[in-house]
Amino acid sequence: MFIDQEQFSFLEDLRRNWRDIRDECLALAEDSFEPWVQRHMYGEGWSVYGLVAFGARIEAALSACPRTVDALRRIPGLTTAGFSRMTPGTRIKPHEGWVTTVYRAHLGLVVPDGDCALRVGNQTRHWREGSIFVFDDTVEHEAWNRAGAPRTVLLFDFLRPGQSMDQLDELPPEVAAHLRGRS
């Protein structure tokens, strides 16, 4: 289910600065993006550049994106953030997230013309550059890029109203193992 984003006034700053965020993302080296660890969900074509991973800052990545960091600093209860890229032909299979304490958001940075969308529950929306979706990741969702060029968004999670950082959900084993291997 998509969430009414009007209740989150801090999103306006991201919308205002989306071009600066996009420019920093586009300046990153192509090989700095890594395949998302849960490959069973998509096969090939989905890669991420992590900035914040489940509350832990990735300092080397953050140092390359100072304007993005400035915008992220204004998001209360930020738990996860990074650039998410899908190459043409990529499909992330229907799945349900595990984190019940946060909402997920996507800020469109590079969105090609064509069939490039996110389905949450029974609603489908197409990404738009400079626009934000907020959704409940625990509701079945899927994403696809049937367009002819890559799609990139700033993906971020923030605490749901009434939640706190000490209530964060336990990570799936493959995600936890991947994060341990990076530290």
Side-chain angles (χ1 to χ4, degrees):
M1 124 180 101
F2 288 96
I3 308 299
D4 176 15
Q5 55 185 286
E6 295 304 314
Q7 62 185 301
F8 308 112
S9 59
F10 59 85
L11 295 176
E12 187 54 39
D13 190 55
L14 288 168
R15 280 188 210 93
R16 232 184 350 265
N17 294 298
W18 78 270
R19 286 179 180 87
D20 289 338
I21 295 167
R22 179 199 56 202
D23 292 348
E24 284 185 339
C25 177
L26 291 174
L28 297 170
E30 194 71 24
D31 63 357
S32 62
F33 283 73
E34 298 178 355
W36 178 246
V37 65
Q38 294 174 304
R39 297 290 286 268
H40 64 278
M41 290 180 3
Y42 67 97
E44 298 288 330
W46 181 22
S47 59
V48 296
Y49 181 89
L51 298 164
V52 178
F54 309 101
R57 293 169 50 92
I58 304 170
E59 294 300 337
L62 291 167
S63 68
C65 304
R67 291 176 297 200
T68 303
V69 169
D70 188 51
L72 292 173
R73 185 174 304 139
R74 295 181 180 97
I75 300 173
L78 180 74
T79 63
T80 301
F83 299 117
S84 170
R85 183 172 56 207
M86 291 175 64
T87 59
T90 301
R91 177 177 177 250
I92 300 172
K93 298 175 187 174
H95 65 285
E96 296 171 2
W98 68 89
V99 185
T100 61
T101 54
V102 302
Y103 287 136
R104 175 150 295 162
H106 289 179
L107 168 62
L109 300 176
V110 179
V111 182
D113 290 332
D115 188 8
C116 188
L118 172 69
R119 178 190 62 82
V120 180
N122 62 3
Q123 295 181 309
T124 300
R125 296 193 181 167
H126 290 80
W127 286 282
R128 304 268 183 257
E129 292 181 357
S131 293
I132 298 176
F133 299 151
V134 177
F135 63 99
D136 182 344
D137 182 61
T138 66
V139 173
E140 183 186 82
H141 59 286
E142 65 180 314
W144 58 88
N145 180 2
R146 297 182 188 124
R151 179 242 56 183
T152 304
V153 300
L154 175 65
L155 180 153
F156 58 98
D157 295 343
F158 59 93
L159 290 172
R160 295 180 188 210
Q163 299 294 314
S164 68
M165 292 298 265
D166 58 345
Q167 296 171 308
L168 292 179
D169 300 274
E170 189 172 319
L171 300 176
E174 68 271 23
V175 175
H178 176 74
L179 291 174
R180 278 193 304 274
R182 295 190 67 175
S183 54

